[in-house]
Amino acid sequence: SNGLPALDWLNVEGTGKGAITACGIRELAASPRMARLTGLMLGNNPIGDDGAAALADAAGASTLRELQV
């Protein structure tokens, strides 16, 4: 299965402590699906400095039109 091949907007805002970790963000950032995202909402999650760095390093982050952290 291709699983969500057309996903262009992801909202995981306020999912709770530890739900969105730097490791999870690095996984997302490395995914080819990141290149298709135009919106990513991570607000009210403790992503920390490592998570922010992972987002900054994501090659697909350039396609984002909206990023909320």
Side-chain angles (χ1 to χ4, degrees):
S1 161
N2 288 336
L4 305 176
L7 184 69
D8 64 358
W9 188 272
L10 182 60
N11 181 348
V12 288
E13 189 171 27
T15 56
K17 184 175 182 178
I20 303 299
T21 63
C23 182
I25 291 173
R26 285 199 188 284
E27 254 183 64
L28 173 64
S31 168
R33 288 182 177 88
M34 179 72 177
R36 288 186 277 253
L37 285 180
T38 58
L40 180 59
M41 298 175 74
L42 299 170
N44 297 318
N45 285 295
I47 66 168
D49 292 342
D50 289 340
L55 282 172
D57 291 342
S62 64
T63 62
L64 288 175
R65 292 187 199 144
E66 185 168 350
L67 174 62
Q68 295 181 11
V69 290

Short mmCIF file of all heavy atoms in Angstrom, two decimals:
data_model
loop_
_atom_site.label_atom_id
_atom_site.label_comp_id
_atom_site.label_asym_id
_atom_site.label_seq_id
_atom_site.Cartn_x
_atom_site.Cartn_y
_atom_site.Cartn_z
N SER A 1 0.83 -1.19 0.00
CA SER A 1 0.00 0.00 0.00
C SER A 1 0.87 1.25 0.00
O SER A 1 1.91 1.30 0.64
CB SER A 1 -0.90 -0.03 1.23
OG SER A 1 -1.40 1.24 1.53
N ASN A 2 0.44 2.26 -0.71
CA ASN A 2 1.17 3.53 -0.73
C ASN A 2 0.86 4.37 0.50
O ASN A 2 1.61 5.27 0.82
CB ASN A 2 0.82 4.33 -1.98
CG ASN A 2 1.43 3.72 -3.22
OD1 ASN A 2 2.41 3.00 -3.12
ND2 ASN A 2 0.85 3.99 -4.36
N GLY A 3 -0.23 4.13 1.18
CA GLY A 3 -0.59 4.84 2.39
C GLY A 3 -0.50 6.35 2.29
O GLY A 3 0.57 6.91 2.37
N LEU A 4 -1.59 7.03 2.13
CA LEU A 4 -1.69 8.48 2.10
C LEU A 4 -0.81 9.16 1.05
O LEU A 4 -0.15 10.15 1.33
CB LEU A 4 -1.36 9.06 3.48
CG LEU A 4 -2.17 8.52 4.65
CD1 LEU A 4 -1.66 9.10 5.95
CD2 LEU A 4 -3.64 8.79 4.50
N PRO A 5 -0.78 8.68 -0.17
CA PRO A 5 0.11 9.28 -1.17
C PRO A 5 -0.24 10.71 -1.54
O PRO A 5 0.60 11.46 -1.99
CB PRO A 5 -0.04 8.36 -2.38
CG PRO A 5 -1.39 7.75 -2.22
CD PRO A 5 -1.59 7.61 -0.73
N ALA A 6 -1.51 11.11 -1.34
CA ALA A 6 -1.93 12.45 -1.74
C ALA A 6 -1.96 13.44 -0.56
O ALA A 6 -2.45 14.54 -0.71
CB ALA A 6 -3.30 12.39 -2.40
N LEU A 7 -1.45 13.04 0.58
CA LEU A 7 -1.46 13.89 1.76
C LEU A 7 -0.68 15.17 1.50
O LEU A 7 0.48 15.13 1.10
CB LEU A 7 -0.84 13.14 2.95
CG LEU A 7 -0.85 13.87 4.28
CD1 LEU A 7 -2.28 13.97 4.81
CD2 LEU A 7 0.01 13.13 5.29
N ASP A 8 -1.35 16.32 1.68
CA ASP A 8 -0.64 17.59 1.49
C ASP A 8 -0.72 18.49 2.71
O ASP A 8 -0.07 19.52 2.78
CB ASP A 8 -1.10 18.32 0.23
CG ASP A 8 -2.56 18.74 0.29
OD1 ASP A 8 -3.25 18.45 1.27
OD2 ASP A 8 -3.01 19.38 -0.67
N TRP A 9 -1.54 18.11 3.71
CA TRP A 9 -1.71 18.91 4.91
C TRP A 9 -1.75 17.96 6.09
O TRP A 9 -2.50 16.98 6.07
CB TRP A 9 -3.01 19.70 4.82
CG TRP A 9 -3.17 20.70 5.91
CD1 TRP A 9 -3.73 20.49 7.13
CD2 TRP A 9 -2.76 22.05 5.90
NE1 TRP A 9 -3.69 21.62 7.88
CE2 TRP A 9 -3.10 22.61 7.14
CE3 TRP A 9 -2.13 22.86 4.96
CZ2 TRP A 9 -2.83 23.92 7.47
CZ3 TRP A 9 -1.87 24.17 5.30
CH2 TRP A 9 -2.22 24.69 6.53
N LEU A 10 -0.97 18.23 7.12
CA LEU A 10 -0.92 17.36 8.29
C LEU A 10 -1.09 18.21 9.54
O LEU A 10 -0.33 19.15 9.77
CB LEU A 10 0.40 16.61 8.33
CG LEU A 10 0.60 15.62 9.49
CD1 LEU A 10 -0.46 14.52 9.45
CD2 LEU A 10 1.99 15.00 9.41
N ASN A 11 -2.11 17.87 10.34
CA ASN A 11 -2.37 18.58 11.59
C ASN A 11 -2.26 17.59 12.73
O ASN A 11 -3.09 16.72 12.90
CB ASN A 11 -3.77 19.21 11.56
CG ASN A 11 -4.07 19.99 12.83
OD1 ASN A 11 -3.37 19.91 13.83
ND2 ASN A 11 -5.14 20.74 12.79
N VAL A 12 -1.21 17.72 13.51
CA VAL A 12 -1.02 16.92 14.72
C VAL A 12 -0.88 17.86 15.92
O VAL A 12 -0.18 17.58 16.87
CB VAL A 12 0.18 15.95 14.59
CG1 VAL A 12 -0.15 14.82 13.65
CG2 VAL A 12 1.43 16.67 14.17
N GLU A 13 -1.58 18.97 15.83
CA GLU A 13 -1.54 20.00 16.86
C GLU A 13 -2.15 19.48 18.16
O GLU A 13 -3.21 18.87 18.16
CB GLU A 13 -2.32 21.21 16.36
CG GLU A 13 -2.18 22.43 17.21
CD GLU A 13 -2.80 23.65 16.54
OE1 GLU A 13 -3.72 23.50 15.73
OE2 GLU A 13 -2.33 24.74 16.83
N GLY A 14 -1.44 19.72 19.26
CA GLY A 14 -1.95 19.39 20.58
C GLY A 14 -2.19 17.92 20.83
O GLY A 14 -3.11 17.56 21.54
N THR A 15 -1.37 17.06 20.26
CA THR A 15 -1.57 15.62 20.44
C THR A 15 -1.04 15.12 21.77
O THR A 15 -1.24 13.97 22.11
CB THR A 15 -0.93 14.82 19.30
OG1 THR A 15 0.44 15.15 19.21
CG2 THR A 15 -1.63 15.09 17.99
N GLY A 16 -0.36 15.95 22.51
CA GLY A 16 0.06 15.56 23.85
C GLY A 16 1.55 15.41 24.00
O GLY A 16 2.28 15.26 23.05
N LYS A 17 1.97 15.45 25.25
CA LYS A 17 3.38 15.37 25.58
C LYS A 17 4.00 14.08 25.04
O LYS A 17 3.51 12.99 25.27
CB LYS A 17 3.56 15.42 27.09
CG LYS A 17 5.00 15.43 27.50
CD LYS A 17 5.16 15.59 28.98
CE LYS A 17 6.65 15.65 29.28
NZ LYS A 17 6.90 15.86 30.68
N GLY A 18 5.09 14.25 24.33
CA GLY A 18 5.83 13.10 23.83
C GLY A 18 5.29 12.50 22.54
O GLY A 18 5.91 11.64 21.97
N ALA A 19 4.11 12.92 22.10
CA ALA A 19 3.53 12.33 20.89
C ALA A 19 4.35 12.69 19.66
O ALA A 19 4.51 11.88 18.75
CB ALA A 19 2.09 12.78 20.72
N ILE A 20 4.83 13.91 19.62
CA ILE A 20 5.64 14.36 18.50
C ILE A 20 7.05 14.59 19.05
O ILE A 20 7.29 15.55 19.78
CB ILE A 20 5.10 15.67 17.89
CG1 ILE A 20 3.66 15.49 17.45
CG2 ILE A 20 5.97 16.13 16.73
CD1 ILE A 20 3.44 14.44 16.39
N THR A 21 7.94 13.70 18.73
CA THR A 21 9.30 13.80 19.25
C THR A 21 10.26 14.20 18.14
O THR A 21 9.92 14.15 16.95
CB THR A 21 9.76 12.44 19.80
OG1 THR A 21 9.78 11.49 18.72
CG2 THR A 21 8.83 11.94 20.90
N ALA A 22 11.45 14.58 18.53
CA ALA A 22 12.47 14.91 17.53
C ALA A 22 12.70 13.73 16.60
O ALA A 22 12.85 13.90 15.39
CB ALA A 22 13.77 15.32 18.21
N CYS A 23 12.69 12.53 17.14
CA CYS A 23 12.89 11.33 16.32
C CYS A 23 11.76 11.19 15.29
O CYS A 23 12.01 10.91 14.13
CB CYS A 23 12.95 10.10 17.22
SG CYS A 23 13.24 8.57 16.34
N GLY A 24 10.53 11.41 15.73
CA GLY A 24 9.39 11.34 14.82
C GLY A 24 9.46 12.41 13.75
O GLY A 24 9.12 12.17 12.59
N ILE A 25 9.90 13.59 14.13
CA ILE A 25 10.03 14.67 13.16
C ILE A 25 11.14 14.34 12.16
O ILE A 25 10.99 14.57 10.97
CB ILE A 25 10.28 16.01 13.86
CG1 ILE A 25 9.02 16.43 14.61
CG2 ILE A 25 10.69 17.09 12.86
CD1 ILE A 25 9.18 17.64 15.48
N ARG A 26 12.23 13.76 12.63
CA ARG A 26 13.31 13.35 11.71
C ARG A 26 12.80 12.31 10.72
O ARG A 26 13.14 12.34 9.55
CB ARG A 26 14.51 12.83 12.48
CG ARG A 26 15.29 13.92 13.14
CD ARG A 26 16.70 13.48 13.51
NE ARG A 26 17.34 14.50 14.30
CZ ARG A 26 17.83 15.64 13.82
NH1 ARG A 26 17.76 15.89 12.54
NH2 ARG A 26 18.39 16.51 14.62
N GLU A 27 11.98 11.37 11.20
CA GLU A 27 11.39 10.37 10.31
C GLU A 27 10.53 11.02 9.24
O GLU A 27 10.60 10.69 8.07
CB GLU A 27 10.54 9.39 11.11
CG GLU A 27 11.15 8.04 11.28
CD GLU A 27 10.23 7.11 12.03
OE1 GLU A 27 9.13 6.80 11.53
OE2 GLU A 27 10.63 6.70 13.13
N LEU A 28 9.67 11.93 9.67
CA LEU A 28 8.81 12.66 8.72
C LEU A 28 9.66 13.46 7.75
O LEU A 28 9.41 13.45 6.54
CB LEU A 28 7.86 13.59 9.47
CG LEU A 28 7.01 14.53 8.60
CD1 LEU A 28 6.06 13.73 7.71
CD2 LEU A 28 6.24 15.51 9.47
N ALA A 29 10.68 14.13 8.25
CA ALA A 29 11.53 14.97 7.41
C ALA A 29 12.25 14.14 6.34
O ALA A 29 12.48 14.62 5.23
CB ALA A 29 12.54 15.72 8.26
N ALA A 30 12.57 12.90 6.68
CA ALA A 30 13.28 12.04 5.73
C ALA A 30 12.34 11.37 4.73
O ALA A 30 12.79 10.82 3.73
CB ALA A 30 14.06 10.97 6.50
N SER A 31 11.06 11.44 4.99
CA SER A 31 10.08 10.77 4.14
C SER A 31 9.85 11.54 2.84
O SER A 31 9.78 12.77 2.83
CB SER A 31 8.76 10.67 4.90
OG SER A 31 7.72 10.28 4.03
N PRO A 32 9.67 10.83 1.74
CA PRO A 32 9.33 11.50 0.48
C PRO A 32 7.99 12.23 0.57
O PRO A 32 7.74 13.17 -0.18
CB PRO A 32 9.24 10.37 -0.54
CG PRO A 32 9.68 9.14 0.12
CD PRO A 32 9.84 9.40 1.58
N ARG A 33 7.14 11.84 1.51
CA ARG A 33 5.85 12.51 1.67
C ARG A 33 6.02 13.94 2.16
O ARG A 33 5.17 14.78 1.94
CB ARG A 33 4.97 11.72 2.62
CG ARG A 33 4.49 10.44 1.98
CD ARG A 33 3.57 9.67 2.91
NE ARG A 33 3.08 8.50 2.25
CZ ARG A 33 3.67 7.33 2.25
NH1 ARG A 33 4.82 7.17 2.88
NH2 ARG A 33 3.15 6.30 1.64
N MET A 34 7.11 14.23 2.84
CA MET A 34 7.37 15.59 3.32
C MET A 34 7.43 16.56 2.15
O MET A 34 7.02 17.70 2.26
CB MET A 34 8.66 15.62 4.14
CG MET A 34 9.04 16.98 4.67
SD MET A 34 7.96 17.49 6.01
CE MET A 34 8.71 19.05 6.44
N ALA A 35 7.94 16.10 1.03
CA ALA A 35 8.08 16.96 -0.15
C ALA A 35 6.74 17.39 -0.71
O ALA A 35 6.66 18.36 -1.44
CB ALA A 35 8.89 16.24 -1.23
N ARG A 36 5.66 16.67 -0.35
CA ARG A 36 4.33 17.02 -0.84
C ARG A 36 3.55 17.90 0.12
O ARG A 36 2.51 18.44 -0.25
CB ARG A 36 3.53 15.75 -1.13
CG ARG A 36 4.02 15.01 -2.35
CD ARG A 36 3.11 13.86 -2.64
NE ARG A 36 3.48 12.72 -1.82
CZ ARG A 36 4.08 11.62 -2.26
NH1 ARG A 36 4.34 11.45 -3.47
NH2 ARG A 36 4.42 10.66 -1.48
N LEU A 37 4.02 18.01 1.36
CA LEU A 37 3.26 18.77 2.35
C LEU A 37 3.32 20.26 2.08
O LEU A 37 4.39 20.81 1.82
CB LEU A 37 3.81 18.52 3.76
CG LEU A 37 3.48 17.18 4.41
CD1 LEU A 37 4.09 17.12 5.79
CD2 LEU A 37 1.99 16.96 4.49
N THR A 38 2.17 20.90 2.11
CA THR A 38 2.11 22.35 2.01
C THR A 38 1.74 22.98 3.34
O THR A 38 1.89 24.17 3.53
CB THR A 38 1.10 22.79 0.93
OG1 THR A 38 -0.19 22.28 1.26
CG2 THR A 38 1.53 22.32 -0.44
N GLY A 39 1.24 22.16 4.27
CA GLY A 39 0.89 22.65 5.59
C GLY A 39 1.23 21.63 6.66
O GLY A 39 0.95 20.45 6.50
N LEU A 40 1.84 22.08 7.73
CA LEU A 40 2.21 21.21 8.84
C LEU A 40 1.95 21.96 10.14
O LEU A 40 2.52 23.02 10.37
CB LEU A 40 3.68 20.80 8.74
CG LEU A 40 4.23 19.89 9.83
CD1 LEU A 40 3.45 18.58 9.89
CD2 LEU A 40 5.71 19.62 9.59
N MET A 41 1.06 21.40 10.95
CA MET A 41 0.71 22.05 12.21
C MET A 41 1.15 21.16 13.37
O MET A 41 0.66 20.05 13.53
CB MET A 41 -0.80 22.29 12.26
CG MET A 41 -1.27 23.22 11.15
SD MET A 41 -3.06 23.41 11.08
CE MET A 41 -3.31 24.44 12.49
N LEU A 42 2.11 21.65 14.14
CA LEU A 42 2.67 20.90 15.26
C LEU A 42 2.46 21.60 16.59
O LEU A 42 3.02 21.19 17.60
CB LEU A 42 4.18 20.70 15.05
CG LEU A 42 4.61 19.93 13.82
CD1 LEU A 42 6.11 20.03 13.63
CD2 LEU A 42 4.18 18.48 13.93
N GLY A 43 1.68 22.69 16.60
CA GLY A 43 1.51 23.51 17.79
C GLY A 43 1.10 22.72 19.03
O GLY A 43 0.47 21.66 18.94
N ASN A 44 1.49 23.22 20.18
CA ASN A 44 1.17 22.60 21.47
C ASN A 44 1.73 21.20 21.62
O ASN A 44 1.11 20.33 22.23
CB ASN A 44 -0.34 22.61 21.73
CG ASN A 44 -0.88 24.01 21.84
OD1 ASN A 44 -0.28 24.88 22.46
ND2 ASN A 44 -2.01 24.26 21.20
N ASN A 45 2.87 20.96 21.01
CA ASN A 45 3.62 19.71 21.17
C ASN A 45 5.05 20.09 21.55
O ASN A 45 5.60 21.04 21.01
CB ASN A 45 3.65 18.91 19.86
CG ASN A 45 2.34 18.23 19.57
OD1 ASN A 45 1.91 17.36 20.30
ND2 ASN A 45 1.69 18.64 18.51
N PRO A 46 5.64 19.35 22.46
CA PRO A 46 7.00 19.67 22.90
C PRO A 46 8.06 19.15 21.93
O PRO A 46 8.70 18.14 22.18
CB PRO A 46 7.09 18.96 24.26
CG PRO A 46 6.18 17.78 24.12
CD PRO A 46 5.06 18.24 23.21
N ILE A 47 8.24 19.84 20.80
CA ILE A 47 9.19 19.33 19.81
C ILE A 47 10.64 19.65 20.19
O ILE A 47 11.55 18.97 19.77
CB ILE A 47 8.89 19.84 18.38
CG1 ILE A 47 9.09 21.34 18.26
CG2 ILE A 47 7.51 19.43 17.95
CD1 ILE A 47 9.08 21.83 16.83
N GLY A 48 10.85 20.71 20.96
CA GLY A 48 12.18 21.04 21.44
C GLY A 48 13.13 21.50 20.34
O GLY A 48 12.77 21.60 19.17
N ASP A 49 14.36 21.77 20.75
CA ASP A 49 15.38 22.24 19.82
C ASP A 49 15.73 21.20 18.77
O ASP A 49 15.94 21.53 17.60
CB ASP A 49 16.65 22.64 20.59
CG ASP A 49 16.45 23.87 21.45
OD1 ASP A 49 15.47 24.61 21.23
OD2 ASP A 49 17.28 24.08 22.36
N ASP A 50 15.79 19.92 19.18
CA ASP A 50 16.13 18.86 18.22
C ASP A 50 15.06 18.71 17.15
O ASP A 50 15.37 18.51 15.98
CB ASP A 50 16.34 17.53 18.94
CG ASP A 50 17.61 17.50 19.77
OD1 ASP A 50 18.52 18.32 19.51
OD2 ASP A 50 17.70 16.65 20.68
N GLY A 51 13.80 18.82 17.55
CA GLY A 51 12.71 18.74 16.58
C GLY A 51 12.72 19.92 15.62
O GLY A 51 12.50 19.76 14.42
N ALA A 52 12.99 21.10 16.16
CA ALA A 52 13.07 22.30 15.31
C ALA A 52 14.22 22.18 14.32
O ALA A 52 14.09 22.54 13.15
CB ALA A 52 13.23 23.54 16.16
N ALA A 53 15.35 21.64 14.78
CA ALA A 53 16.51 21.44 13.90
C ALA A 53 16.18 20.43 12.81
O ALA A 53 16.56 20.60 11.64
CB ALA A 53 17.72 20.99 14.70
N ALA A 54 15.44 19.37 13.16
CA ALA A 54 15.05 18.37 12.17
C ALA A 54 14.17 18.99 11.09
O ALA A 54 14.32 18.71 9.91
CB ALA A 54 14.32 17.21 12.85
N LEU A 55 13.25 19.86 11.51
CA LEU A 55 12.40 20.54 10.53
C LEU A 55 13.22 21.45 9.63
O LEU A 55 13.00 21.52 8.43
CB LEU A 55 11.33 21.37 11.23
CG LEU A 55 10.15 20.59 11.78
CD1 LEU A 55 9.27 21.50 12.62
CD2 LEU A 55 9.34 19.98 10.64
N ALA A 56 14.16 22.17 10.22
CA ALA A 56 15.00 23.09 9.44
C ALA A 56 15.84 22.33 8.42
O ALA A 56 16.10 22.84 7.33
CB ALA A 56 15.89 23.89 10.37
N ASP A 57 16.25 21.12 8.77
CA ASP A 57 17.09 20.32 7.88
C ASP A 57 16.31 19.56 6.81
O ASP A 57 16.89 19.02 5.88
CB ASP A 57 17.90 19.29 8.69
CG ASP A 57 18.96 19.94 9.55
OD1 ASP A 57 19.31 21.11 9.29
OD2 ASP A 57 19.43 19.28 10.50
N ALA A 58 14.99 19.52 6.96
CA ALA A 58 14.17 18.73 6.04
C ALA A 58 14.21 19.31 4.64
O ALA A 58 13.87 20.47 4.42
CB ALA A 58 12.73 18.68 6.54
N ALA A 59 14.60 18.49 3.69
CA ALA A 59 14.67 18.93 2.30
C ALA A 59 13.30 19.36 1.80
O ALA A 59 13.18 20.31 1.05
CB ALA A 59 15.23 17.82 1.43
N GLY A 60 12.24 18.68 2.23
CA GLY A 60 10.90 18.98 1.78
C GLY A 60 10.29 20.21 2.42
O GLY A 60 9.23 20.65 2.01
N ALA A 61 10.94 20.75 3.43
CA ALA A 61 10.37 21.89 4.14
C ALA A 61 10.18 23.10 3.22
O ALA A 61 9.36 23.97 3.50
CB ALA A 61 11.24 22.27 5.33
N SER A 62 10.88 23.14 2.12
CA SER A 62 10.76 24.28 1.21
C SER A 62 9.39 24.34 0.53
O SER A 62 8.99 25.37 0.03
CB SER A 62 11.86 24.25 0.17
OG SER A 62 11.73 23.09 -0.65
N THR A 63 8.65 23.23 0.51
CA THR A 63 7.32 23.22 -0.10
C THR A 63 6.25 23.71 0.87
O THR A 63 5.12 23.98 0.45
CB THR A 63 6.93 21.82 -0.60
OG1 THR A 63 6.88 20.94 0.52
CG2 THR A 63 7.90 21.32 -1.64
N LEU A 64 6.58 23.82 2.15
CA LEU A 64 5.59 24.22 3.13
C LEU A 64 5.18 25.68 2.92
O LEU A 64 6.02 26.55 2.78
CB LEU A 64 6.15 24.07 4.55
CG LEU A 64 6.30 22.65 5.07
CD1 LEU A 64 6.96 22.67 6.44
CD2 LEU A 64 4.97 21.94 5.13
N ARG A 65 3.89 25.91 2.90
CA ARG A 65 3.37 27.28 2.84
C ARG A 65 2.98 27.74 4.23
O ARG A 65 2.93 28.92 4.50
CB ARG A 65 2.15 27.33 1.92
CG ARG A 65 2.52 27.09 0.48
CD ARG A 65 1.32 27.31 -0.41
NE ARG A 65 1.56 26.67 -1.68
CZ ARG A 65 0.65 26.06 -2.40
NH1 ARG A 65 -0.60 26.04 -1.98
NH2 ARG A 65 0.96 25.49 -3.53
N GLU A 66 2.65 26.77 5.09
CA GLU A 66 2.27 27.10 6.45
C GLU A 66 2.88 26.07 7.41
O GLU A 66 2.75 24.87 7.22
CB GLU A 66 0.76 27.10 6.62
CG GLU A 66 0.34 27.56 7.99
CD GLU A 66 -1.16 27.85 8.10
OE1 GLU A 66 -1.83 27.87 7.06
OE2 GLU A 66 -1.62 28.03 9.22
N LEU A 67 3.57 26.59 8.41
CA LEU A 67 4.17 25.76 9.46
C LEU A 67 3.84 26.40 10.80
O LEU A 67 4.17 27.55 11.03
CB LEU A 67 5.69 25.68 9.28
CG LEU A 67 6.46 24.97 10.40
CD1 LEU A 67 6.04 23.51 10.51
CD2 LEU A 67 7.95 25.08 10.15
N GLN A 68 3.18 25.64 11.64
CA GLN A 68 2.86 26.12 12.98
C GLN A 68 3.51 25.20 13.99
O GLN A 68 3.29 23.99 13.95
CB GLN A 68 1.34 26.15 13.19
CG GLN A 68 0.65 27.14 12.30
CD GLN A 68 -0.86 27.16 12.54
OE1 GLN A 68 -1.37 26.59 13.50
NE2 GLN A 68 -1.58 27.84 11.67
N VAL A 69 4.33 25.80 14.84
CA VAL A 69 5.00 25.02 15.88
C VAL A 69 4.74 25.61 17.25
O VAL A 69 4.40 26.74 17.39
CB VAL A 69 6.52 24.90 15.65
CG1 VAL A 69 6.80 24.03 14.45
CG2 VAL A 69 7.17 26.25 15.50
#
